[in-house]
Amino acid sequence: MENQNKITFSRRNFIRTSALASGGLLIGFNFFSSCKEAAVPPVDISQLNFKDFNAFIKIADNGYVTIYSPNPEIGQGVKTSMPMIIAEELDVPWEHVSVEQGALDTKNFQRQVAGGSQSIRFGWDALRQTGATARQMLVNAAAAKWGVDASNCSVSNGIITNLNGEAFNYGDVVDEAANLEVPENVSLKNPEDYKIIGKNATNVDMDKIITGQPLFGLDYVADNMKYVSVARPPAFGQKVKSFDASEAKTIGGVSDVIQFGDKLAVLATNTWAAMKGQKALKVEWVDDSNLENTDLHDQELNKILDSEGLDVRREDGNIKKAFAEADKIIERTYESPFLPHNCMEPMNFYANVTEEKVHLVGPIQTPAGTAMRIANLIERDPEDIHLEMTRMGGGFGRRLYGDFALEAAEISNLVKQPVKVVFSREDDMAAGIYRPAIKYRIKAAIRDGKVTGYHLKEAAINSNMYGLIPNFFPAGAIQNYKVESGNYKSNITTGAWRAPYTNFLAFAEQSFFDELAEAIDIDPVKLRLDLLANVKDGEDESIEYSAERMTNTIKLATEKSNWRNTDKGIFQGFAAYYSHNTHVAEVVDLSMSNGIPKIEKVTVAVDCGIVVNPTGARNQIEGGVIDGLGHAMYGDFSFKNGRPQDVNFNTYRLIRIKEAPIVETFFVDNQLSPTGLGEPGLPPAGGALANAIKAATGQILLKQPFTKEMQQRKTDITI
């Protein structure tokens, strides 16, 4: 164990690159900055005059610490949890730490991305190294001042002591430490010694959030900034032919209207004027390509499912033989619609393009990639780009693409002024980028009470979802197994949506497994456990999930939910899924009231390794579950002649606060490296709900949203 907690790396690697090959965060920089003015710890740490540098840590001479959080914060909690990891190894009291959002810095930080629930997973080792190395350098500096060996010094809560009882706080030796050689060997703490990791911590931005202080992109204001509302083609497949801006320019506050590509930008002194100006534009749009309809998509996806020769993603055993020898074959087709992201904060971004530099500020999940795209778009050196990240009012994958940031940069480059592009809610829902509509056809062979064959076909609009994850469960658990996929190319823009690839697939597969269990006459949980018993972890390197960890997660969920031992009148549905490196199992409890199913509770078990911040972790799981339930129940989105049929919440149904059920979350206790939580709680929710509805009503649900299918069957459902 001791050897596993030893990290060795050279000074060159420490300064320029991570010691990890896995893509962890860069841990090198000018490590410390001291403040001679602060002789006494102030009540308000923000009054300390810290120096600016490209770093994770700076320390005042009173021992207080500021830690920069490098990754974008979209509500997943990394602005709190990533600094917690550094502070743990640095060994400072959490209450003596302040946190600031780092700007884009490709030289000192790696993977400044909020996507795929990977921030903590990729940052874990490098962040620990950062804190531990800083701690050792401070100890070495103190030892040199005392003239003793560093091994005779100890540190706790930011205080270094020697065997004689003498003590320094970190600020007393920060200047000396900054000039020392970076040690090649640092010891990391054992998990049993953690003081911060594993303890509840409040969101570091909480006070600012609840008091309305500026944090989000919409809050950002700069001198001489123009607000911009953009008129985009109202239908996918259209382009601008001509426009008349005379009426728009009569609106008070509107200063200019320009065309860029097939879009029109209205510049104004405030958002209201800009949006009014956009509505006043008279634009003639011309059809450039096919204007698609939901009925067309439905037909094309069915054609794909009915066709042969799709792309084979994985094939094990002899699927044809398995079905030829089957006692029983079960086949189902599952359907899901497009979905918008509907972030609470609409898309927005600030850009000021000058000859000297390109200054960008706003909510973005991919700052480095977006900065590079902007540099290419306006033909600037990437070194000219300075991008600052604001907190985001939701992302869910929508802010991965940065189209709104590119618009801001292009407009600013054209008008030679600082601008801030702001979407209205209608702009946000109508402009894309959507989760693609998808269909799955799943067929299974049963012989002698066992599942002997499993064949899944996926048909998707544009990008295939399952194509990237053919090695998740039940791969490896069923001897004869095949996955195929095909897609229909559409001019409707699609992309990642919270828990991409698995957000709908989990419902389809987990609902299907309950049908298999019924056909075999076995408890649905036992069916899954029996299948997992066929998988020996490590034997097939292509299998990405852990059968042992999933088994333990399932057992925890069934124990905590009193699976099949609940009060009379409670109907339960189960689902378990591995996604984004995390294993999750969920049980939905339903009751019936006047013939209407009602969710009473959702019990969730999670194996995400070490839980850095339990409060934040529970928030992520509970939010993901409610999000998954809400979209499975209500999420519907269609097109007519290329136009979205819903552009605001008066017609697009979301789950309401009063409809959110109780969610109880339990974590598997282990000391494995942590994995993400922003997405894995969502995929099993729809399957667990569908299975609970079936238990309560006998009805099999094959389409999302469930309310639409149930209404077609003259059945009501409420949360």
Side-chain angles (χ1 to χ4, degrees):
M1 185 71 177
E2 182 178 351
N3 289 337
Q4 292 177 349
N5 284 329
K6 286 280 189 180
I7 303 292
T8 302
F9 51 97
S10 69
R11 180 177 178 85
R12 181 174 181 270
N13 279 340
F14 183 77
I15 295 299
R16 295 304 301 169
T17 186
S18 169
L20 304 173
S22 62
L25 292 170
L26 185 73
I27 57 178
F29 37 78
N30 296 326
F31 228 126
F32 305 105
S33 178
S34 62
C35 303
K36 294 300 183 183
E37 296 82 3
V40 179
V43 175
D44 184 359
I45 194 171
S46 67
Q47 297 303 309
L48 292 174
N49 184 26
F50 287 113
K51 299 177 184 177
D52 293 329
F53 60 99
N54 296 324
F56 283 100
I57 302 171
K58 56 184 179 181
I59 301 176
D61 63 2
N62 61 3
Y64 275 65
V65 177
T66 292
I67 298 176
Y68 282 95
S69 183
N71 280 30
E73 173 60 65
I74 52 174
Q76 82 281 41
V78 295
K79 192 176 177 182
T80 302
S81 54
M82 296 182 91
M84 286 176 70
I85 298 169
I86 295 176
E88 179 66 72
E89 292 291 351
L90 186 59
D91 208 332
V92 292
W94 183 242
E95 59 270 22
H96 290 181
V97 174
S98 65
V99 176
E100 295 182 12
Q101 177 66 59
L104 174 63
D105 184 350
T106 57
K107 293 181 179 178
N108 287 318
F109 299 141
Q110 288 186 353
R111 200 189 181 277
Q112 286 183 274
V113 174
S117 300
Q118 300 296 300
S119 293
I120 294 297
R121 176 173 174 254
F122 276 109
W124 172 248
D125 286 320
L127 292 170
R128 287 191 298 158
Q129 290 175 11
T130 296
T133 302
R135 167 170 40 90
Q136 188 61 54
M137 293 173 72
L138 290 159
V139 169
N140 291 348
K145 276 185 126 177
W146 287 319
V148 301
D149 193 275
S151 63
N152 293 324
C153 300
S154 61
V155 60
S156 179
N157 294 324
I159 303 296
I160 308 163
T161 58
N162 61 27
L163 296 178
N164 297 323
E166 297 173 297
F168 286 130
N169 74 43
Y170 282 170
D172 295 329
V173 294
V174 64
D175 287 334
E176 292 85 351
N179 294 317
L180 294 179
E181 288 292 318
V182 177
E184 293 188 355
N185 297 286
V186 295
S187 296
L188 303 178
K189 287 185 177 182
N190 291 313
E192 56 264 29
D193 297 325
Y194 288 161
K195 303 173 186 176
I196 297 174
I197 293 174
K199 305 298 189 299
N200 291 325
T202 302
N203 185 323
V204 295
D205 284 335
M206 184 58 69
D207 289 344
K208 292 182 178 180
I209 292 172
I210 62 177
T211 57
Q213 297 182 48
L215 277 172
F216 300 91
L218 284 175
D219 297 323
Y220 188 81
V221 178
D223 292 340
N224 303 316
M225 181 182 81
K226 294 294 185 182
Y227 292 88
V228 178
S229 184
V230 176
R232 303 170 185 85
F236 291 90
Q238 289 186 327
K239 290 186 175 182
V240 64
K241 181 178 180 181
S242 63
F243 70 96
D244 179 357
S246 56
E247 185 176 336
K249 291 181 179 180
T250 65
I251 294 172
V254 173
S255 59
D256 200 2
V257 177
I258 66 165
Q259 180 176 353
F260 64 111
D262 285 300
K263 305 172 187 178
L264 305 171
V266 179
L267 283 71
T269 56
N270 58 77
T271 53
W272 182 240
M275 290 177 182
K276 285 182 67 178
Q278 179 199 356
K279 292 182 183 298
L281 289 172
K282 292 181 173 59
V283 188
E284 182 180 359
W285 305 97
V286 61
D287 297 346
D288 180 65
S289 60
N290 294 331
L291 304 184
E292 299 177 6
N293 298 298
T294 292
D295 288 344
L296 168 70
H297 298 147
D298 186 68
Q299 295 168 11
E300 293 297 333
L301 293 180
N302 285 335
K303 287 179 184 178
I304 293 171
L305 293 179
D306 292 337
S307 65
E308 300 295 333
L310 301 182
D311 293 332
V312 177
R313 304 297 182 176
R314 182 178 178 117
E315 186 169 13
D316 300 335
N318 189 330
I319 198 75
K320 290 184 178 180
K321 182 180 179 182
F323 283 104
E325 297 176 349
D327 300 328
K328 183 183 296 186
I329 295 174
I330 296 177
E331 180 177 302
R332 292 284 183 261
T333 299
Y334 299 87
E335 304 177 15
S336 69
F338 287 89
L339 285 181
H341 294 81
N342 289 324
C343 307
M344 183 68 73
E345 177 191 19
M347 301 304 108
N348 65 92
F349 222 79
Y350 168 86
N352 186 16
V353 180
T354 66
E355 292 183 3
E356 292 76 27
K357 69 173 183 177
V358 179
H359 185 203
L360 306 169
V361 184
I364 185 69
Q365 292 180 240
T366 51
T370 299
M372 185 60 68
R373 290 175 64 197
I374 288 173
N376 292 334
L377 175 68
I378 61 176
E379 299 180 339
R380 294 290 292 265
D381 190 319
E383 295 294 324
D384 293 343
I385 310 293
H386 174 73
L387 190 151
E388 300 173 32
M389 291 169 278
T390 62
R391 190 178 182 94
M392 288 172 257
F396 314 115
R398 176 62 183 91
R399 300 189 205 270
L400 289 169
Y401 300 97
D403 49 292
F404 43 92
L406 269 71
E407 286 182 350
E410 186 173 4
I411 295 166
S412 177
N413 190 47
L414 290 170
V415 301
K416 307 304 179 186
Q417 286 182 277
V419 302
K420 181 177 178 180
V421 169
V422 179
F423 284 45
S424 67
R425 178 59 60 193
E426 289 81 2
D427 294 335
D428 212 44
M429 290 185 71
I433 298 167
Y434 310 108
R435 183 188 81 170
I438 306 170
K439 292 192 180 190
Y440 291 109
R441 182 170 293 167
I442 310 177
K443 183 168 68 171
I446 298 173
R447 183 176 182 183
D448 298 329
K450 303 290 184 183
V451 180
T452 57
Y454 190 92
H455 185 193
L456 182 145
K457 281 186 173 184
E458 180 203 61
I461 301 295
N462 290 330
S463 59
N464 286 103
M465 295 290 96
Y466 202 98
L468 298 179
I469 54 168
N471 304 321
F472 289 7
F473 182 82
I478 300 172
Q479 184 177 6
N480 305 295
Y481 177 81
K482 185 176 183 179
V483 174
E484 299 178 277
S485 65
N487 62 74
Y488 172 76
K489 296 299 182 183
S490 169
N491 54 29
I492 297 171
T493 55
T494 59
W497 190 93
R498 189 176 189 178
Y501 322 130
T502 62
N503 50 56
F504 173 66
L505 174 62
F507 151 66
E509 290 197 307
Q510 291 298 303
S511 298
F512 189 70
F513 273 113
D514 264 39
E515 287 207 62
L516 294 180
E518 185 176 25
I520 297 171
D521 193 21
I522 187 175
D523 180 89
V525 170
K526 188 175 188 311
L527 172 63
R528 291 163 172 86
L529 292 176
D530 288 348
L531 289 172
L532 286 166
N534 296 331
V535 183
K536 305 302 179 186
D537 288 345
E539 283 191 0
D540 184 346
E541 293 183 356
S542 70
I543 300 299
E544 296 187 31
Y545 63 92
S546 164
E548 180 182 1
R549 295 178 73 173
M550 181 58 83
T551 296
N552 292 337
T553 305
I554 290 172
K555 290 180 178 179
L556 179 61
T558 53
E559 172 196 342
K560 296 299 184 181
S561 65
N562 294 315
W563 175 251
R564 295 293 169 91
N565 291 300
T566 56
D567 296 336
K568 185 178 180 180
I570 294 295
F571 302 89
Q572 293 184 310
F574 174 84
Y577 211 75
Y578 166 88
S579 68
H580 300 85
N581 311 104
T582 294
H583 302 77
V584 180
E586 299 179 9
V587 176
V588 167
D589 287 5
L590 271 181
S591 65
M592 297 294 292
S593 177
N594 297 320
I596 300 174
K598 179 181 178 182
I599 296 180
E600 299 289 346
K601 184 178 70 172
V602 182
T603 303
V604 189
V606 183
D607 184 350
C608 60
I610 293 171
V611 180
V612 177
N613 180 8
T615 295
R618 285 191 295 270
N619 289 342
Q620 288 305 299
I621 291 299
E622 291 171 10
V625 168
I626 293 170
D627 199 12
L629 294 174
H631 281 92
M633 287 284 293
Y634 306 118
D636 196 13
F637 202 73
S638 62
F639 292 86
K640 185 175 181 180
N641 295 325
R643 293 190 179 215
Q645 295 303 285
D646 299 285
V647 293
N648 213 319
F649 298 141
N650 61 323
T651 58
Y652 184 83
R653 180 74 157 89
L654 289 168
I655 190 171
R656 312 296 202 247
I657 291 177
K658 68 178 182 179
E659 297 167 335
I662 295 170
V663 180
E664 294 184 351
T665 304
F666 303 90
F667 295 96
V668 175
D669 186 15
N670 60 44
Q671 295 184 356
L672 300 173
S673 296
T675 53
L677 288 173
E679 292 163 293
L682 185 148
L689 176 56
N691 291 334
I693 292 171
K694 183 178 183 299
T697 68
Q699 295 193 31
I700 299 170
L701 296 175
L702 302 174
K703 301 178 182 179
Q704 291 186 358
F706 298 158
T707 50
K708 187 175 181 179
E709 184 173 13
M710 305 260 323
Q711 286 167 3
Q712 291 172 348
R713 301 181 186 185
K714 308 301 182 183
T715 304
D716 292 324
I717 180 169
T718 65
I719 288 184

